[in-house]
Amino acid sequence: MNWTREERFLTLIAGQRLDDQKITCIRNELRDGLDWLLLVNRAMQEGMAAMFYVHARDLELFVLMPQWVEEKLKDVYHRTIFHNLKILGFLNELGEVLKKRRVPVIVLQGASLLKDVYKDIGIRPMEDIDMMVRSKDRMRLRQILEEMGYSRDPIYENTYRKGIIYLDLHTDTLSSERISARKWIMSTDSTHFWDSAVPLLKKEIPVFRLSTYDNLIALSMHLLKHNLTRLVWFVDIMEAIFKEGDTFDWQDFAGYSRMVGGDRCILYMLLLLKNLVDMKLPDSVLSDLG
């Protein structure tokens, strides 16, 4: 694969923690000069502009770049904070309504990571909020959203919008209600996702996120479904693993992935992460996954 220097540079800054070797490489690349317009545009396309800003700010790297680069990245970072605060505000507001109506939901993908995976709310840009609801509750959730002032898309009936908040409703993690063949990808149905889901907000609020193992499989499936198109989605998987620290049981995770039919997808994503962003993995984990 023929990558530009700018694309390779983004893999160096991909992650909340950077080791000394990567920091040295980043400084050297910036000193040598890059195509700044291409770099900023690619960073925005890959969902990495806000993370780039935070690293450059904290490592005092903006002296190596044109001033307009700092201004552009700073603007993206602050707009990301604003948007993500709106998302968290919406989830809290919705949660109070769902508590009264006794309708549980599971928040999927990026929005599920804001509370405990990303330390800085401005690092991870969001577009829409993917939300899973049981089939029997879908009509009730639609009614609740409409009562809250959200408008349904005239073409995509499970998509709602109000201002800058977009919602995409699903009945499983693979969106098999849209493409039915996807339901055969996993060897289990969506029931077990609900059984192991954990609260995203306060314990009494029925807004949940997937368990760690289920979330990693769902994030990997989502990335594969979208043809591996954005670097930030790889970072989501890596950061969700790092968040667990040394307590993460790789062997148990490999066994669970095999049980639910997600092992091949997880194996592919870890191989890509190892080669793409130099993610450090235990020696045995790839063989455990086959």
Side-chain angles (χ1 to χ4, degrees):
M1 182 176 181
N2 294 321
W3 284 6
T4 65
R5 284 182 59 212
E6 291 71 24
E7 289 168 334
R8 290 190 180 279
F9 177 84
L10 292 178
T11 68
L12 290 174
I13 58 100
Q16 294 186 91
R17 294 159 294 277
L18 302 176
D19 59 33
D20 291 341
Q21 182 178 359
K22 282 192 175 182
I23 292 173
T24 299
C25 290
I26 290 168
R27 290 186 187 278
N28 290 338
E29 286 293 318
L30 292 174
R31 286 194 183 101
D32 290 342
L34 294 162
D35 184 329
W36 303 112
L37 182 59
L38 176 59
L39 177 61
V40 171
N41 285 339
R42 288 299 295 174
M44 294 178 68
Q45 292 167 12
E46 299 291 344
M48 300 300 297
M51 185 171 286
F52 183 11
Y53 171 77
V54 169
H55 287 319
R57 179 198 65 193
D58 293 349
L59 296 172
E60 300 181 345
L61 299 176
F62 283 121
V63 294
L64 303 174
M65 291 176 266
Q67 185 176 351
W68 72 264
V69 175
E70 178 179 5
E71 292 170 353
K72 181 62 178 179
L73 296 178
K74 184 176 182 180
D75 179 63
V76 172
Y77 173 70
H78 285 291
R79 284 192 284 111
T80 302
I81 291 175
F82 176 78
H83 192 189
N84 289 348
L85 286 173
K86 285 283 188 181
I87 286 175
L88 292 176
F90 160 74
L91 291 176
N92 279 288
E93 180 185 6
L94 177 66
E96 293 296 335
V97 178
L98 296 178
K99 179 182 176 182
K100 296 175 183 176
R101 303 287 187 91
R102 297 184 180 179
V103 177
V105 298
I106 295 177
V107 177
L108 305 171
Q109 302 355 324
S112 71
L113 309 175
L114 279 180
K115 293 287 288 184
D116 62 351
V117 170
Y118 286 102
K119 297 177 182 178
D120 186 330
I121 196 174
I123 283 181
R124 176 56 163 90
M126 301 290 161
E127 293 175 358
D128 56 4
I129 305 171
D130 289 286
M131 191 172 289
M132 188 164 79
V133 61
R134 291 188 175 100
S135 297
K136 67 182 182 66
D137 291 328
R138 181 162 53 180
M139 293 305 298
R140 294 171 66 196
L141 180 56
R142 285 178 176 175
Q143 182 180 1
I144 289 169
L145 292 172
E146 289 170 5
E147 290 173 0
M148 293 175 68
Y150 286 80
S151 301
R152 189 165 65 180
D153 187 277
I155 299 176
Y156 302 103
E157 63 177 3
N158 290 313
T159 301
Y160 285 79
R161 177 183 179 180
K162 180 181 178 183
I164 63 173
I165 301 295
Y166 289 81
L167 293 167
D168 204 356
L169 307 184
H170 309 270
T171 54
D172 63 35
T173 60
L174 297 170
S175 304
S176 62
E177 70 274 7
R178 298 174 185 176
I179 302 177
S180 60
R182 286 178 181 164
K183 66 183 178 182
W184 303 111
I185 294 176
M186 302 279 286
S187 57
T188 184
D189 59 28
S190 62
T191 304
H192 85 279
F193 289 121
W194 290 97
D195 293 340
S196 59
V198 296
L200 179 66
L201 306 173
K202 291 186 257 184
K203 188 174 181 180
E204 66 273 13
I205 300 296
V207 176
F208 299 91
R209 62 173 175 82
L210 295 172
S211 67
T212 298
Y213 289 176
D214 287 337
N215 201 28
L216 289 170
I217 294 170
L219 290 169
S220 299
M221 293 287 186
H222 175 260
L223 180 52
L224 186 61
K225 182 178 74 175
H226 288 283
N227 301 316
L228 315 175
T229 48
R230 298 189 79 199
L231 182 56
V232 70
W233 292 334
F234 284 99
V235 176
D236 286 344
I237 297 169
M238 180 176 68
E239 293 294 343
I241 293 172
F242 285 166
K243 180 252 175 185
E244 299 300 314
D246 296 335
T247 62
F248 190 78
D249 190 331
W250 283 101
Q251 189 173 24
D252 188 55
F253 176 52
Y256 182 84
S257 298
R258 285 194 297 272
M259 181 184 71
V260 300
D263 52 322
R264 187 62 58 88
C265 186
I266 289 292
L267 175 59
Y268 290 162
M269 294 309 122
L270 291 179
L271 283 169
L272 287 167
L273 279 164
K274 181 178 180 181
N275 288 279
L276 186 67
V277 296
D278 193 30
M279 180 178 176
K280 301 299 186 290
L281 298 169
D283 294 337
S284 63
V285 63
L286 298 179
S287 59
D288 285 346
L289 286 163

